[in-house]
Amino acid sequence: MLEDYDPDGFFCEYQGDAQRQQVLAGLLKRLNGTTPKELTRLSKAVDRELYNLGITFTLYHEGSSVDRVLPFDLIPRVLTPADWEIIESGSIQRVQTLNLLLADIYGEQKCIKDGILPADLVFKNPNYRPEMVGLKVPENCYVNVCGVDVVRGGDGQFVVLEDNARSPSGVSYVVENRQLMRRTMPNLFEGMNVRPVLDYGLRLHHALCEAAPAGVSDPQVVLLSPGPFNSAYFEHVFLAREMGIPLVTGQDMVVENDKVYMRTTGGLMPVHVIYRRINDDFLDPEVFREDSMLGVPGLMRAYAKGNITIANAVGTGVADDKGVYAYIPRLIKYYLDQDAILPNVPTNLCREKDGLQYTLDNLDKLVTKPVGEAGGYGVVIGPRASLRELEATRKAIEKDPANYISQPMVELSVSPTLISGRVEPRHVDLRPFCVTGKSTWVLPGGLTRVALKKGSLVVNSSQGGGSKDTWVLE
């Protein structure tokens, strides 16, 4: 099946040095024993199963919404032990730094006083929450769950595209993809020593219990969701089920005497840890948006008294802003006295005079991104943009330079992917998930997203991307 496969000049996850070839030999042999026709048949069966199981996400567009199955490719992406050592250690290093940064921003603010991070990047950031200044969180852990978006460039080296320190989503697909693979193509796993991912829920629950307020020996954890109309509701249901905890909305909770309770048929039950999947703005109408129907009035009072843990902590968004991202390698050096194991893509800040001029002079060579957007929206890939798109981008940047960064285009690695009955190269990225309680654990694998459109570098599900099972070998 892969005999005629051509990566078209890109670094391919299935190629590389002799050691990589040796690791992949068994898998390649079994894949080559499967015809594209058979793989297509299995792929259609998987799509039907995904739909029947309700494993979907909601796509919003121009005032309407539609539930879609995230396309799943049956050819797994494989990471060798050497690959994983870099990704795992580099991700842990970044999470440590993000937590130190947040403790500092909401504490002594030394990084600002020492000139490491510009003050306005923090204080003018819409995700900065002055309510968090001086408020201590257990274990000094602000980012209990973090998704670090990693790509491999043309030289085969891993680099970080962005950090997701608020409510990173997608881990449910990692677990479901593995279960689908084991049911659909169990023979591929023979002799491969693939590290497991199915214990994510247990690991997350353990970490959240470790983050409970001091003195609580048997913490009650709940998952707070906006409800079934949220695009990631499937994931909320999945995680609550995997952790064995109640899935609640704001209406299920109440604060009395600065303590948080869940309404049950047997009366009020104390709650000690909230794994929230709603934004800061909607958490507590007494403090943030007063029109919020999703949050719990008085929650911030209970939080400030240390009676409840909110994971991730309020105000973490200031640390994963695309502007702050540019400073992460310097912050790693500042807080840990280490070099970044996973480097950034070189980033030009349009808020700075030189960065702005360089960006405007090289729009057709750079990738430009609005700082406050997510999901691939607003990203313009200069070398592939039309003159009209470039001109519109120029006007947008000139109007609000601080809202933009630019980066050189990274030629993402490719992985063999089944496309219309043929195996073709498609670009991929990776989102490892880091879970922190008293220490940080990284789920061995993460979500590999794949750009299904030929030549596209945008892998986001909202932009037509799909996913693959990600194998980390022992």
Side-chain angles (χ1 to χ4, degrees), residues 175-445:
V175 178
E176 292 290 356
N177 285 352
R178 177 62 51 81
Q179 291 178 328
L180 280 170
M181 282 296 298
R182 284 204 173 276
R183 286 198 295 270
T184 308
M185 301 186 75
N187 62 313
L188 288 188
F189 289 87
E190 292 174 10
M192 290 303 295
N193 293 324
V194 180
R195 295 182 61 176
V197 299
L198 303 186
D199 61 345
Y200 180 83
L202 292 174
R203 295 270 195 167
L204 176 59
H205 185 249
H206 180 72
L208 292 173
C209 287
E210 287 186 337
V216 177
S217 58
D218 185 19
Q220 173 66 60
V221 184
V222 300
L223 191 152
L224 177 59
S225 167
F229 295 108
N230 185 265
S231 63
Y233 187 65
F234 163 75
E235 179 151 299
H236 304 167
V237 175
F238 172 88
L239 288 172
R241 186 188 69 209
E242 292 291 304
M243 287 192 280
I245 64 172
L247 174 66
V248 300
T249 64
Q251 294 182 337
D252 299 317
M253 313 261 280
V254 65
V255 176
E256 291 188 355
N257 298 320
D258 297 335
K259 293 185 178 178
V260 183
Y261 297 89
M262 174 175 56
R263 294 185 173 97
T264 75
T265 53
L268 296 181
M269 176 182 290
V271 174
H272 308 101
V273 181
I274 297 175
Y275 181 40
R276 55 79 174 250
R277 297 299 297 258
I278 67 177
N279 295 335
D280 291 351
D281 285 342
F282 300 97
L283 268 179
D284 182 350
E286 287 185 2
V287 178
F288 303 118
R289 285 184 54 159
E290 62 181 22
D291 61 341
S292 172
M293 302 292 286
L294 303 176
V296 186
L299 188 58
M300 287 299 290
R301 280 189 279 111
Y303 194 35
K305 291 284 182 68
N307 293 330
I308 188 79
T309 294
I310 299 176
N312 288 345
V314 176
T316 54
V318 69
D320 72 5
D321 176 274
K322 290 183 177 65
V324 174
Y325 156 89
Y327 290 85
I328 294 296
R330 279 179 251 180
L331 291 165
I332 291 173
K333 190 70 176 176
Y334 178 69
Y335 289 120
L336 303 177
D337 194 23
Q338 299 171 5
D339 294 324
I341 299 169
L342 286 171
N344 280 13
V345 178
T347 302
N348 308 297
L349 293 165
C350 295
R351 65 197 310 281
E352 296 177 351
K353 183 180 177 183
D354 291 347
L356 173 62
Q357 193 59 53
Y358 182 80
T359 299
L360 294 176
D361 290 345
N362 295 277
L363 273 180
D364 59 336
K365 304 179 184 67
L366 298 169
V367 178
T368 54
K369 302 177 180 179
V371 170
E373 291 286 358
Y377 291 105
V379 174
V380 176
I381 301 173
R384 300 182 182 181
S386 66
L387 290 175
R388 177 179 292 183
E389 287 173 314
L390 290 176
E391 190 53 33
T393 302
R394 178 183 301 281
K395 289 179 178 176
I397 293 174
E398 288 175 338
K399 183 179 180 181
D400 186 10
N403 191 40
Y404 286 87
I405 62 169
S406 69
Q407 297 169 328
M409 192 171 78
V410 179
E411 295 288 1
L412 308 188
S413 64
V414 295
S415 191
T417 303
L418 184 69
I419 304 291
S420 302
R422 287 172 46 85
V423 177
E424 298 181 358
R426 288 293 186 272
H427 294 291
V428 293
D429 78 347
L430 178 68
R431 174 175 291 179
F433 289 89
C434 311
V435 177
T436 303
K438 292 184 182 298
S439 60
T440 297
W441 169 79
V442 187
L443 177 69

Side-chain angles (χ1 to χ4, degrees), residues 8 21 40 64-65 139 147 150 182 279 318 335 343 364 422:
D8 203 18
Q21 290 301 305
T40 300
S64 63
S65 63
E139 305 294 334
V150 179
R182 284 204 173 276
N279 295 335
V318 69
Y335 289 120
D364 59 336
R422 287 172 46 85

Side-chain angles (χ1 to χ4, degrees), residues 35-281:
T35 64
K37 185 176 180 181
E38 174 64 4
L39 201 61
T40 300
R41 184 186 70 78
L42 293 171
S43 181
K44 289 180 178 176
V46 165
D47 285 346
R48 285 196 298 274
E49 186 172 354
L50 285 167
Y51 185 80
N52 291 334
L53 290 172
I55 303 174
T56 61
F57 69 100
T58 306
L59 185 64
Y60 299 102
H61 182 66
E62 295 181 350
S64 63
S65 63
V66 59
D67 286 341
R68 285 188 178 176
V69 168
L70 181 66
F72 175 58
D73 185 70
L74 278 170
I75 304 176
R77 188 244 188 97
V78 180
L79 297 168
T80 66
D83 290 336
W84 186 244
E85 183 178 351
I86 295 170
I87 293 170
E88 182 181 44
S89 59
S91 298
I92 290 173
Q93 184 189 54
R94 292 183 83 93
V95 171
Q96 288 176 331
T97 302
L98 291 172
N99 277 317
L100 289 167
L101 171 63
L102 287 160
D104 192 8
I105 286 173
Y106 294 120
E108 297 181 58
Q109 301 175 345
K110 287 179 62 179
C111 67
I112 297 170
K113 295 170 185 171
D114 289 345
I116 305 299
L117 190 64
D120 63 328
L121 260 186
V122 175
F123 301 126
K124 291 186 179 179
N125 189 307
N127 295 303
Y128 171 72
R129 303 296 180 195
E131 296 84 359
M132 290 296 293
V133 173
L135 195 157
K136 300 294 183 185
V137 301
E139 305 294 334
N140 262 345
C141 181
Y142 292 77
V143 185
N144 303 84
V145 181
C146 186
V148 181
D149 286 353
V150 179
V151 297
R152 198 199 297 259
D155 58 359
Q157 303 303 307
F158 292 108
V159 293
V160 174
L161 276 186
E162 65 182 42
D163 305 288
N164 297 276
R166 280 170 272 184
S167 294
S169 61
V171 73
S172 57
Y173 298 112
V174 178
V175 178
E176 292 290 356
N177 285 352
R178 177 62 51 81
Q179 291 178 328
L180 280 170
M181 282 296 298
R182 284 204 173 276
R183 286 198 295 270
T184 308
M185 301 186 75
N187 62 313
L188 288 188
F189 289 87
E190 292 174 10
M192 290 303 295
N193 293 324
V194 180
R195 295 182 61 176
V197 299
L198 303 186
D199 61 345
Y200 180 83
L202 292 174
R203 295 270 195 167
L204 176 59
H205 185 249
H206 180 72
L208 292 173
C209 287
E210 287 186 337
V216 177
S217 58
D218 185 19
Q220 173 66 60
V221 184
V222 300
L223 191 152
L224 177 59
S225 167
F229 295 108
N230 185 265
S231 63
Y233 187 65
F234 163 75
E235 179 151 299
H236 304 167
V237 175
F238 172 88
L239 288 172
R241 186 188 69 209
E242 292 291 304
M243 287 192 280
I245 64 172
L247 174 66
V248 300
T249 64
Q251 294 182 337
D252 299 317
M253 313 261 280
V254 65
V255 176
E256 291 188 355
N257 298 320
D258 297 335
K259 293 185 178 178
V260 183
Y261 297 89
M262 174 175 56
R263 294 185 173 97
T264 75
T265 53
L268 296 181
M269 176 182 290
V271 174
H272 308 101
V273 181
I274 297 175
Y275 181 40
R276 55 79 174 250
R277 297 299 297 258
I278 67 177
N279 295 335
D280 291 351
D281 285 342

